mmCIF file of all heavy atoms in Angstrom:
data_model
loop_
_atom_site.group_PDB
_atom_site.id
_atom_site.type_symbol
_atom_site.label_atom_id
_atom_site.label_comp_id
_atom_site.label_asym_id
_atom_site.label_seq_id
_atom_site.Cartn_x
_atom_site.Cartn_y
_atom_site.Cartn_z
ATOM 1 N N VAL A 765 16.455 -11.547 -55.657
ATOM 2 C CA VAL A 765 15.932 -12.066 -56.952
ATOM 3 C C VAL A 765 14.767 -11.352 -57.415
ATOM 4 O O VAL A 765 14.632 -10.857 -58.566
ATOM 5 C CB VAL A 765 15.745 -13.641 -56.883
ATOM 6 C CG1 VAL A 765 15.064 -13.964 -58.183
ATOM 7 C CG2 VAL A 765 17.030 -14.334 -56.781
ATOM 8 N N LEU A 766 13.777 -11.136 -56.543
ATOM 9 C CA LEU A 766 12.555 -10.448 -56.834
ATOM 10 C C LEU A 766 12.899 -9.051 -57.172
ATOM 11 O O LEU A 766 12.332 -8.558 -58.286
ATOM 12 C CB LEU A 766 11.563 -10.557 -55.703
ATOM 13 C CG LEU A 766 10.105 -9.904 -55.907
ATOM 14 C CD1 LEU A 766 9.376 -10.906 -56.972
ATOM 15 C CD2 LEU A 766 9.371 -9.899 -54.560
ATOM 16 N N SER A 767 13.628 -8.240 -56.436
ATOM 17 C CA SER A 767 13.940 -6.834 -56.721
ATOM 18 C C SER A 767 14.698 -6.769 -58.029
ATOM 19 O O SER A 767 14.478 -5.833 -58.881
ATOM 20 C CB SER A 767 14.717 -6.273 -55.519
ATOM 21 O OG SER A 767 13.842 -6.062 -54.464
ATOM 22 N N THR A 768 15.635 -7.703 -58.181
ATOM 23 C CA THR A 768 16.476 -7.742 -59.421
ATOM 24 C C THR A 768 15.723 -7.793 -60.559
ATOM 25 O O THR A 768 15.929 -7.088 -61.621
ATOM 26 C CB THR A 768 17.585 -8.761 -59.260
ATOM 27 O OG1 THR A 768 18.413 -8.529 -58.204
ATOM 28 C CG2 THR A 768 18.445 -8.842 -60.621
ATOM 29 N N LEU A 769 14.818 -8.761 -60.594
ATOM 30 C CA LEU A 769 13.923 -8.921 -61.827
ATOM 31 C C LEU A 769 13.135 -7.735 -62.144
ATOM 32 O O LEU A 769 12.897 -7.366 -63.191
ATOM 33 C CB LEU A 769 13.023 -10.247 -61.574
ATOM 34 C CG LEU A 769 13.838 -11.510 -61.640
ATOM 35 C CD1 LEU A 769 12.941 -12.741 -61.341
ATOM 36 C CD2 LEU A 769 14.550 -11.861 -63.009
ATOM 37 N N THR A 770 12.384 -7.227 -60.996
ATOM 38 C CA THR A 770 11.621 -6.134 -61.197
ATOM 39 C C THR A 770 12.297 -4.922 -61.836
ATOM 40 O O THR A 770 11.832 -4.283 -62.741
ATOM 41 C CB THR A 770 10.967 -5.691 -59.830
ATOM 42 O OG1 THR A 770 10.258 -6.884 -59.335
ATOM 43 C CG2 THR A 770 9.870 -4.625 -60.084
ATOM 44 N N ILE A 771 13.483 -4.614 -61.093
ATOM 45 C CA ILE A 771 14.244 -3.359 -61.545
ATOM 46 C C ILE A 771 14.968 -3.667 -62.835
ATOM 47 O O ILE A 771 14.879 -2.753 -63.811
ATOM 48 C CB ILE A 771 15.304 -2.999 -60.486
ATOM 49 C CG1 ILE A 771 14.542 -2.626 -59.116
ATOM 50 C CG2 ILE A 771 16.096 -1.887 -60.953
ATOM 51 C CD1 ILE A 771 15.457 -2.317 -58.003
ATOM 52 N N GLY A 772 15.575 -4.737 -63.069
ATOM 53 C CA GLY A 772 16.346 -5.059 -64.270
ATOM 54 C C GLY A 772 15.580 -5.282 -65.471
ATOM 55 O O GLY A 772 15.760 -4.574 -66.577
ATOM 56 N N VAL A 773 14.423 -5.974 -65.346
ATOM 57 C CA VAL A 773 13.463 -6.235 -66.481
ATOM 58 C C VAL A 773 12.769 -4.875 -66.773
ATOM 59 O O VAL A 773 12.662 -4.479 -67.894
ATOM 60 C CB VAL A 773 12.634 -7.276 -66.263
ATOM 61 C CG1 VAL A 773 11.553 -7.453 -67.353
ATOM 62 C CG2 VAL A 773 13.401 -8.683 -66.152
ATOM 63 N N GLY A 774 12.374 -4.290 -65.729
ATOM 64 C CA GLY A 774 11.689 -2.979 -65.970
ATOM 65 C C GLY A 774 12.497 -1.842 -66.515
ATOM 66 O O GLY A 774 12.022 -1.205 -67.491
ATOM 67 N N GLY A 775 13.763 -1.784 -66.143
ATOM 68 C CA GLY A 775 14.706 -0.843 -66.859
ATOM 69 C C GLY A 775 14.896 -1.244 -68.261
ATOM 70 O O GLY A 775 14.988 -0.322 -69.144
ATOM 71 N N PHE A 776 15.156 -2.577 -68.639
ATOM 72 C CA PHE A 776 15.320 -3.006 -70.010
ATOM 73 C C PHE A 776 14.202 -2.584 -70.759
ATOM 74 O O PHE A 776 14.304 -2.142 -71.861
ATOM 75 C CB PHE A 776 15.617 -4.467 -69.988
ATOM 76 C CG PHE A 776 15.709 -4.959 -71.350
ATOM 77 C CD1 PHE A 776 16.789 -4.796 -72.111
ATOM 78 C CD2 PHE A 776 14.604 -5.692 -71.901
ATOM 79 C CE1 PHE A 776 16.630 -5.263 -73.512
ATOM 80 C CE2 PHE A 776 14.537 -6.208 -73.202
ATOM 81 C CZ PHE A 776 15.654 -5.995 -73.912
ATOM 82 N N ALA A 777 12.981 -2.854 -70.292
ATOM 83 C CA ALA A 777 11.766 -2.614 -70.960
ATOM 84 C C ALA A 777 11.581 -1.099 -71.385
ATOM 85 O O ALA A 777 11.301 -0.705 -72.418
ATOM 86 C CB ALA A 777 10.487 -3.083 -70.280
#
Side-chain angles (χ1 to χ4, degrees):
V765 168
L766 187 66
S767 293
T768 298
L769 290 174
T770 304
I771 299 173
V773 173
F776 170 77

